[in-house]
Amino acid sequence: MHVTVRENNVDQALRALKKKMQREGIFREMKLRRHFEKPSQKRKRERAEAVRRHRKLLRKRMEREGF
C-alpha cells in the first residue's frame, strides 16, 4: 500500500492510509487474528456474515422497488 505525503502534511496522509486500510479490510483481519478461531467457528461466522449481506441486499432491493 502506498500513500504520498504532500507539503509535509502527515496527518492527511495518515488519514488516507487509514481509509485505504479500512477499505481493504486490514483492520478487521487484524482483529480476527488476535485469537485463534476454530475452523467450525470460522465457518459459522462466515455463513452468518453471508446471510447478513444477503438480507441487506434484499432490503435495499425492496426499498428501490417501493415495497
Side-chain angles (χ1 to χ4, degrees), residues 12-33:
Q12 186 178 5
L14 188 60
R15 243 183 290 133
L17 176 66
K18 285 183 180 179
K19 191 180 285 187
K20 282 185 178 185
M21 289 173 70
Q22 181 72 33
R23 246 185 266 130
E24 293 290 322
I26 293 174
F27 290 125
R28 186 171 174 277
E29 187 174 340
M30 285 173 29
K31 182 180 175 185
L32 289 172
R33 287 180 184 234

Side-chain angles (χ1 to χ4, degrees), residues 18-66:
K18 285 183 180 179
K19 191 180 285 187
K20 282 185 178 185
M21 289 173 70
Q22 181 72 33
R23 246 185 266 130
E24 293 290 322
I26 293 174
F27 290 125
R28 186 171 174 277
E29 187 174 340
M30 285 173 29
K31 182 180 175 185
L32 289 172
R33 287 180 184 234
R34 283 189 187 140
H35 303 288
F36 178 74
E37 187 177 24
K38 289 173 32 178
S40 60
Q41 290 174 331
K42 183 178 179 182
R43 281 192 302 270
K44 186 175 180 179
R45 177 184 49 82
E46 287 177 346
R47 197 173 298 133
E49 288 173 358
V51 168
R52 228 176 284 124
R53 279 193 309 270
H54 183 69
R55 285 183 182 156
K56 184 177 181 180
L57 178 70
L58 289 177
R59 206 170 36 245
K60 289 198 179 251
R61 194 176 292 165
M62 295 297 273
E63 284 179 10
R64 207 175 325 121
E65 292 176 3

